[in-house]
Structures are given as structure tokens and as C-alpha cells.
Amino acid sequence: MTATVINGKAYAVSLRQQVGAAVAQLRADWDVTPGLAVVLVGEDPASQVYVRSKEAQAREAGLRSTTLRLPASTSQKELLGVVADLNSDPAVDGILVQLPLPPGIDSGSVLAAIDPAKDVDGFHAINAGLLATGQKGLVPCTPLGCLMLLRHCLGPRAMTGLSAVVLGRSNIVGRPMAQLLMQADCTVTIAHKGSRDVPALCRQADILVVAVGRPELVRGDWVKPGSVVIDVGINRMATADGGSRLVGDVAYEEARQVASALTPVPGGVGPMTIACLLLNTVIAACRRRSLAIPSYIADC
Ligand code: GUN
């Protein structure tokens, strides 16, 4: 039997609709339109594509969306000035500085300068600390999207006691993902470059989340039969005909023969990231004004 394919694209469409309904309710009840500001420095082609999608989807959900496009020559001081202006702008509820930043700009200093209440990426140390201590903050979008897909697939209570292995320890995905899985009562292992016998660690995972950026690293025989596999990787691979295609960090066809459910690439985790960014912007807008989170998204 082959695995169920987890349709992240369809789930993201319905989440964006719920966010749109919440935005409409906030406008009707409180005359509030949550605002998202995205800062793009330089001309990285992948970042330009991401930022355009973020802008379009934010607008479609009814958010006020602005993108500040700055030249690659922007200094760190100038960028910190832009962030300070957004921090003090009452119409801005969410700030996202697109990564990577050009060489010469220290991304750590820039992320640290964002008001944690507006940090819709959830990358600020305050939000990372709140997550690590089980408190309410803003949660990084990609792991939040992965958790939603897992809850959708397994049911929230069914996650209790499962063995979860997270491959990768980045601040953007691996570490916050491990925190969320622990909060969901899974027994969590984080495997990384220094880990020994990673295939054996993966083979004991009821839930396997892979975020390492290495095309098709995880083979079918790394996957525990009946497990759920979440593939966060998006890698462009050259094809024999001179073109290219996107592949994940998991050898999809092999894993599909073994797992009970898995996410495809593209169309799995990717679309959830922007949907969760919109969700975080609405949550930030409500918290900043001490408003109740609209019912449409309260349980997300
Ligand atoms: N670059 C790639 N993914 C992301 C993301 O989720 N947030 C930001 N700020 N930059 C990124």
C-alpha cells in the first residue's frame, strides 16, 4: 500500500480563507485592518519570488500589505533605521525581513531589532524563548505549518507518546519544530550533522520531519513503516534534458512505499509557510490591541 499524500496546497487554501474571514470580522467589529510589512534587500531571485507571493496572498486575504524594496548597497545602519520606523508605525502589525540578507549585513542584529510583538517570522530570541518555555509568542511559520499538517493527519491527541525525529537544527525550522512536537507530547530527537547513524535514528520515528536542504537525502529504508513523513526541503535539481525540477530532502517515491502519509514537494509544506505568516499577522494585530482572536482562526 502506498502512503496518503498530504495535500498542503489545499490545506493552505482553506487556512488562507479562514484568515480572510478573520480579517473581515476584525474590520467589521473594530475597524482594524492588520498590516504586514515585508522588507526585501537586494535582488536575490528566489527571495523576489517569495516576497511577491507573500504580498499577493496577504492582499487576497484582505490584509494591508506593503513591501519595502531596498538596494543591495543598503547599509546595516540604514536597514536598522527602516526596522525602527516599522516598529513605531501603528499601522504595521507584522514585520518580515526577507533572508538571506546581502553580505555585510548581520542578520542576527537586524532580527534582534524587530519588535517581538511584530515579529511574524517568530525568529526573535524573545519569541524563541517563549516557545522554548511553553509560553505564548509568535511561532515560526514553517514549523507551525508542519504541526498543522500533522494534527490534520493524525489528530491532536493521537500525537501523544509518538516518537518524533527532526532532521536539522536550524533556528528557522528544526529547533522550533522540536519545541512544537514536544508541546504536542511527542518524544523528540533532533538529529544533525554531528549525529551518529542518522538512518537508524530516522527508522525509529513515528513522525519524521526533514529540514536539511539536501536533495533526497532520506531514502526509503530510513523510513519506519507506517510513519508520517514531513519534507521541508525545496531543492532545485538539474534534469537530463537540461531543465530542472524541485525535489525535497526525502526520496519521495521510495518513502511513499513505506510511510502511511507524507508531504510532496512541491505542494506540501511550502504553501503552508505563507498561510501561517498571514495567520501570525492577524494574531499579532489582535494581541497588540488586546482583542480576542476571531473564532475563524482561534483554534488554528
Ligand atoms: N527566507 C526563506 N524563508 C524565509 C522565511 O520564512 N522568513 C524570512 N524572513 N526569510 C526567509
Side-chain angles (χ1 to χ4, degrees):
M1 227 180 54
T2 53
T4 303
V5 177
I6 301 170
N7 190 342
K9 195 171 166 185
Y11 194 94
V13 167
S14 93
L15 179 56
R16 293 205 306 267
Q17 283 166 350
Q18 286 168 278
V19 170
V23 171
Q25 190 185 333
L26 282 174
R27 194 172 304 129
D29 290 354
W30 305 103
D31 199 20
V32 165
T33 303
L36 171 67
V38 175
V39 182
L40 173 62
V41 187
E43 263 109 52
D44 179 73
S47 292
Q48 284 179 329
V49 174
Y50 284 136
V51 165
R52 237 176 281 130
S53 299
K54 284 170 187 172
E55 197 172 25
Q57 293 183 24
R59 291 243 164 90
E60 204 183 307
L63 300 176
R64 185 181 294 117
S65 166
T66 43
T67 303
L68 296 153
R69 290 182 167 80
L70 308 176
S73 58
T74 303
S75 70
Q76 181 161 324
K77 195 162 163 225
E78 285 166 329
L79 181 55
L80 288 172
V82 168
V83 169
D85 289 346
L86 295 172
N87 282 343
S88 56
D89 184 342
V92 171
D93 295 291
I95 302 170
L96 181 145
V97 177
Q98 184 68 25
L99 302 175
L101 289 167
I105 299 185
D106 173 34
S107 49
S109 310
V110 175
L111 297 180
I114 296 172
D115 177 351
K118 296 187 175 188
D119 169 37
V120 283
D121 255 332
F123 294 165
H124 194 289
I126 292 277
N127 282 314
L130 289 170
L131 178 61
T133 51
Q135 299 178 76
K136 217 165 51 177
L138 288 163
V139 176
C141 305
T142 301
L144 181 57
C146 294
L147 181 76
M148 285 181 187
L149 294 179
L150 283 167
R151 284 200 305 228
H152 170 67
C153 184
L154 290 163
R157 273 200 301 275
M159 288 174 70
T160 299
L162 294 187
S163 160
V165 172
V166 179
L167 207 45
R169 59 178 161 187
S170 70
N171 289 339
I172 297 180
V173 185
R175 287 172 210 252
M177 186 74 245
Q179 297 294 350
L180 289 170
L181 289 163
M182 199 159 43
Q183 257 172 41
D185 292 328
C186 294
T187 303
V188 182
T189 303
I190 305 181
H192 47 75
K193 283 190 211 81
S195 301
R196 284 190 214 147
D197 203 350
V198 174
L201 289 172
C202 292
R203 266 193 291 275
Q204 38 113 353
D206 302 308
I207 293 170
L208 178 60
V209 182
V210 189
V212 287
R214 290 180 55 188
E216 300 182 330
L217 173 77
V218 174
R219 313 307 309 189
D221 64 357
W222 296 29
V223 174
K224 179 176 174 178
S227 61
V228 179
V229 178
I230 305 289
D231 187 352
V232 183
I234 302 177
N235 309 287
R236 194 162 280 287
M237 288 247 286
T239 52
D241 62 2
S244 70
R245 67 186 177 107
L246 291 181
V247 299
D249 291 348
V250 177
Y252 179 78
E253 284 305 330
E254 291 178 21
R256 207 155 71 95
Q257 309 304 319
V258 190
S260 68
L262 88 169
T263 56
V265 177
V269 173
M272 291 298 290
T273 299
I274 299 183
C276 287
L277 172 69
L278 309 183
L279 175 68
N280 275 350
T281 305
V282 176
I283 290 172
C286 293
R287 291 209 186 123
R288 285 185 350 100
R289 297 171 177 83
S290 300
L291 298 176
I293 302 205
S295 57
Y296 300 99
I297 56 167
D299 298 325
C300 283

